[in-house]
């Protein structure tokens, strides 16, 4: 390629590497055609471009085929040399939306110039921010028409970034100057005119002052006569800086306010030009008023501290940064028998027990090196020669500037507490021994419900490990059907403080579930809040099996009793039919009484014949009447559990009263109502007083004879239970008052909820 040129390609001869590349390029498929056939206008501009060292490119023809020189190659990056001859839109597709309007202007005959234009290019396989300064110029062919465009450009990415970094650094420095903790001011000329001040300087002299551009004597007139203006004049005249420490200055920090004294550390530094001539002064320093006041307060505080420490019940000590003890309170000397000559420095270690001396000294030295608080317990010799346990606790002291000043600590005699702790350890050991000896499962939980102790029986029974059971792991041993029931109850007990008790199934190590009765009581602290719970679980699996067997027997007995009642009912019906009409009312009354007795038996059977709730007994007896919308009952009274004999007697009495009311009384008309109410009379022998009262029924007249129902009520309550029955046939309705003693044999069982 460097031999003889093909005729017509001499315009590519001085084009460097790009000229050679163009000569070797296959132009047969290009819209531009072969170079030797290019128009002279294109040849001229290409020759100009190739011989220039400045980055340039040409976009020619309808497709704007892309031609560029050696200077442009670094801009192309990885797109070189494949972009040669390709359409402009394809070469720079990622920025085409940005430059297309500029290209159109050039093709329309308008040249454009752009400085530091931002473009996001993908010239090396990834997007990157770039900036360019360039011009787009139209290029005309031999006909005078615009055949393409010409671009001379330079990449200014580095310059733009450098300027941005410089501005950012200047802004940062300006912000640092503004926010610097020390006050700063730049003064220029012999009159010391304020050019720059930061926020700290304005805070010192007063924020409301407008001092920029003013001489210092005009901006701060109240400083006149305090020597500062003279100092500035001297620094400016001599070029020697001035440094002052704890200098007092009077400033009027608010308009119209009195002059306020402040204390400053101050430096006046001359600012010179290249020839060494002073052009201004840089003033910098710190307002140390608070520090000076604090130092004064500190001296006063130290005097108070020593007075307080000497009279404190604890032993107080102070060290310097080198760990040397410089102060021991009077109580130290009284306790140990040491004197300042024997105790200060490191002499205090002589009062520490020989077995504790080395390691306690090491703890102290390590804390002093790390400047960290420490707390340790060691034995301290008393003046009488006996040793007592003591707590030594200390914290580092720091100055206002953060410098380490040493330690201040206190020593407290805890011999009595140690004895209590020893007794507590013995008590805990005894508690563990006792709980591990019992066959029951014993546990202790914190106030949040997490288990903190389980005796050995628990682990033996459940097969859990200690790490599996503590916390809330114990719940895995509870039967899933019981867990959902007892966990909310356990939560409620912890919140209310009520005793936690009930029954649940616990899984044995072999996988079988066994019933246990559990009970736990809270232990409260001196403030009344619950600190922990103590609980026990007792195996009641055999009792549960016996109770289940008992329930089966009771159900079987109830079934047989019902069968017997059915037989009695059939025999009575048959007997009455033989002596008369089988539909006689006596037969119906007898059957109703048997039915009421059977319903009362059902209630008692559900309760294993241990007793029944009075309200439930009454509801069972009057339930046939409640089904009728015209029959109304009002039933109210406290919860009361009766033994079976009392429950059956009251059930039969209520039945007789309801039957009579349905025939003749308040239940025989739609407007009628029966009120059943009872109360407990807390005498020496508690009594149940139950009142049956009919209202809004037909007029009532006393019966001419006592019926079987009346005799049944009186016999059941008066004779069998020792109670009293008063029947009153009031015109407004029948009233029956039953007064039943609730003795151990005839009476009441307290209702208890189970969980």
């Amino acid at each position: 390629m460097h031999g003889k040129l093909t005729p017509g390609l001499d315009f590519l001869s001085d084009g460097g590497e790009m000229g050679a590349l163009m000569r070797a390029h296959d132009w047969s498929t290009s819209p531009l055609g072969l170079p030797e056939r290019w128009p002279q206008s294109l040849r001229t501009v290409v020759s100009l471009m190739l011989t220039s060292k400045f980055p340039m490119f040409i976009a020619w023809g309808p497709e704007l085929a892309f031609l560029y020189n050696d200077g442009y190659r670094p801009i192309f990056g990885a797109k070189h040399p494949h972009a040669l001859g390709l359409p402009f839109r394809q070469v720079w597709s990622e920025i085409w939306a940005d430059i297309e309007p500029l290209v159109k202007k050039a093709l329309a005959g308008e040249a454009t110039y752009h400085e530091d234009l931002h473009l996001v290019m993908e010239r090396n396989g990834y997007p990157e921010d770039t900036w360019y300064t360039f011009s787009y110029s139209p290029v005309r062919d031999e006909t005078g028409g615009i055949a393409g465009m010409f671009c001379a450009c330079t990449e200014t990415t580095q310059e733009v970034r450098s300027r941005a970094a410089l501005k950012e650094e200047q802004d940062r420095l300006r912000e640092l100057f503004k926010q610097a903790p020390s006050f700063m001011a730049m003064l220029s000329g012999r009159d010391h005119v304020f050019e720059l001040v930061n926020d700290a300087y304005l805070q010192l002299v007063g924020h409301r002052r407008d001092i920029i551009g003013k001489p210092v004597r005009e901006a701060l007139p109240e400083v006149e006569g305090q020597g500062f203006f003279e100092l500035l004049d001297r620094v400016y005249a001599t070029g020697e800086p001035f440094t002052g420490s704890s200098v007092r200055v009077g400033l009027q920090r608010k308009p119209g306010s009195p002059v306020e004294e402040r204390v400053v550390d101050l430096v006046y530094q001359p600012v010179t030009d290249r020839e060494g001539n002073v052009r201004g002064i840089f003033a910098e320093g710190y307002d140390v008023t608070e520090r000076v006041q604090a130092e004064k307060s500190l001296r006063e505080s130290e005097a108070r501290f020593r007075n307080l420490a000497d009279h404190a019940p604890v032993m107080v000590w102070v060290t310097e940064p080198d760990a040397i003890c410089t102060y021991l309170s009077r109580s130290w000397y009284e306790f140990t028998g040491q004197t300042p000559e024997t105790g200060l420095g490191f002499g205090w270690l002589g009062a520490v027990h020989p077995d504790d001396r080395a390691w306690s000294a090491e703890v102290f030295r390590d804390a002093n090196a790390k400047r960290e608080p420490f707390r340790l317990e060691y034995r301290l010799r008393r003046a009488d020669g006996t040793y007592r346990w003591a707590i030594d606790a200390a914290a580092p002291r720091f100055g206002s500037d953060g410098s380490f000043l040493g330690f201040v600590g206190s020593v407290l005699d805890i011999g009595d507490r140690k004895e209590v702790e020893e007794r507590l350890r013995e008590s805990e050991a005894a508690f563990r021994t006792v709980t591990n000896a019992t066959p029951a499962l014993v546990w202790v939980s914190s106030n949040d419900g997490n288990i903190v102790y389980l005796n050995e029986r628990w682990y033996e029974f459940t097969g859990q490990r200690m790490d599996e059971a503590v916390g809330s792991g114990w719940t895995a041993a509870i039967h899933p059907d019981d867990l959902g029931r007892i966990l909310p109850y356990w939560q409620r007990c912890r919140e209310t403080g009520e005793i936690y008790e009930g029954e649940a199934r616990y899984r044995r190590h072999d996988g079988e579930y066994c019933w246990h009765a559990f009970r736990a009581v809270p232990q409260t602290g001196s403030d009344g809040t619950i600190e922990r719970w103590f609980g026990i679980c007792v195996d009641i699996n055999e009792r549960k099996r016996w109770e289940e067997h008992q329930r089966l027997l009771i159900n079987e007995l109830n079934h047989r009793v019902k069968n017997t009642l059915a037989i009695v009912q059939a025999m009575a019906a048959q007997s009455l039919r033989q002596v008369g009409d089988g539909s006689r009312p006596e037969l119906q009354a007898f059957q109703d009484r048997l039915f009421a007795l059977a319903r009362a038996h059902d209630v008692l059977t559900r309760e294993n014949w241990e007793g029944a709730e009075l309200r439930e007994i009454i509801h069972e007896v009057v339930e046939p009447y409640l089904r009728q919308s015209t029959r109304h009952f009002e039933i109210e009274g406290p919860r009361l559990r009766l033994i079976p004999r009392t429950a059956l007697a009251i059930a039969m009495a209520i039945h007789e009263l309801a039957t009579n009311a349905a025939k003749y009384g308040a239940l025989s008309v739609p407007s009628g109502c029966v009120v059943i109410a009872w109360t407990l009379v807390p005498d020496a022998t508690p009594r149940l007083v139950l009142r049956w009262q009919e209202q809004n029924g037909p007029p009532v007249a006393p019966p001419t004879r006592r019926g079987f129902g009346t005799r049944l009520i009186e016999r059941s309550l008066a004779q069998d239970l020792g109670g009293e029955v008063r029947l009153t046939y009031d015109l407004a309705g029948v009233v029956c008052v039953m007064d039943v003693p609730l003795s151990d044999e005839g009476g009441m069982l307290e209702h208890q909820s189970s969980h």
Side-chain angles (χ1 to χ4, degrees), residues 488-743:
Y489 172 50
W490 174 223
Q491 172 70 20
R492 191 188 77 203
C493 289
R494 297 201 314 273
E495 294 172 353
T496 62
E498 62 185 278
I499 293 176
Y500 168 65
E501 58 183 341
E503 297 176 356
R505 288 163 288 182
Y506 289 72
R507 188 185 64 236
R508 202 164 56 192
H509 58 82
D510 60 2
E512 181 181 350
Y513 285 94
C514 298
W515 280 98
H516 282 69
F518 57 83
R519 179 180 171 87
V521 295
Q523 182 190 47
T524 58
S526 58
D527 59 353
T529 58
I530 297 175
E531 293 181 345
R532 60 181 62 85
W533 289 77
F534 291 89
I536 188 170
C537 305
V538 179
D539 189 340
I540 59 169
N541 209 50
E542 289 303 319
R543 192 196 80 188
K544 280 288 188 180
R545 290 177 179 174
W546 179 84
E547 288 175 351
E548 180 63 25
H549 181 64
Q550 183 186 43
R551 277 193 295 272
L552 292 174
L553 292 177
I554 290 174
N555 289 335
E556 178 63 22
L557 177 60
N558 185 56
H559 176 69
R560 295 189 180 187
V561 168
K562 283 189 174 181
N563 287 342
T564 301
L565 290 177
I567 293 172
V568 170
Q569 183 181 23
M571 291 174 62
Q574 184 64 31
S575 298
L576 289 174
R577 287 193 189 97
Q578 291 176 358
V579 299
D581 184 4
S583 62
R584 295 171 62 185
E586 290 86 349
L587 174 60
Q588 184 61 43
F590 182 71
Q591 289 176 334
D592 289 345
R593 290 185 180 108
L594 288 177
F595 184 68
L597 183 63
R599 292 178 72 89
H601 269 254
D602 286 339
V603 175
L604 290 168
T605 299
R606 289 198 295 269
E607 300 293 334
N608 294 327
W609 279 82
E610 295 176 352
E613 181 70 31
L614 175 56
R615 186 182 298 272
E616 189 175 1
I617 286 289
I618 293 174
H619 271 282
E620 284 289 341
V621 173
V622 303
E623 193 274 338
Y625 304 99
L626 292 174
R627 294 194 216 125
Q628 305 176 35
S629 60
T630 58
R631 308 297 172 88
H632 303 288
F633 284 88
E634 293 182 8
I635 303 171
E636 67 177 83
R639 299 188 69 177
L640 181 63
R641 193 170 175 82
L642 304 174
I643 64 174
R645 185 156 60 97
T646 305
L648 288 174
I650 291 179
M652 296 309 297
I654 296 295
H655 169 73
E656 292 301 328
L657 291 169
T659 300
N660 186 70
K663 289 181 179 180
Y664 314 109
L667 299 181
S668 66
V669 295
S671 61
C673 175
V674 175
V675 178
I676 305 175
W678 62 91
T679 59
L680 294 177
V681 180
D683 289 343
T685 300
R687 304 192 328 275
L688 164 67
V689 178
L690 187 147
R691 181 184 180 86
W692 169 288
Q693 182 173 0
E694 300 179 23
Q695 299 175 351
N696 302 326
V700 175
T704 56
R705 62 182 181 85
R706 296 172 69 249
F708 176 76
T710 303
R711 294 196 300 275
L712 177 61
I713 294 173
E714 292 175 344
R715 185 184 65 190
S716 298
L717 297 176
Q719 297 179 13
D720 294 348
L721 301 180
E724 179 182 347
V725 179
R726 296 190 300 277
L727 265 171
T728 304
Y729 295 93
D730 188 78
L731 184 63
V734 173
V735 177
C736 179
V737 179
M738 309 174 201
D739 192 333
V740 182
L742 299 177
S743 62

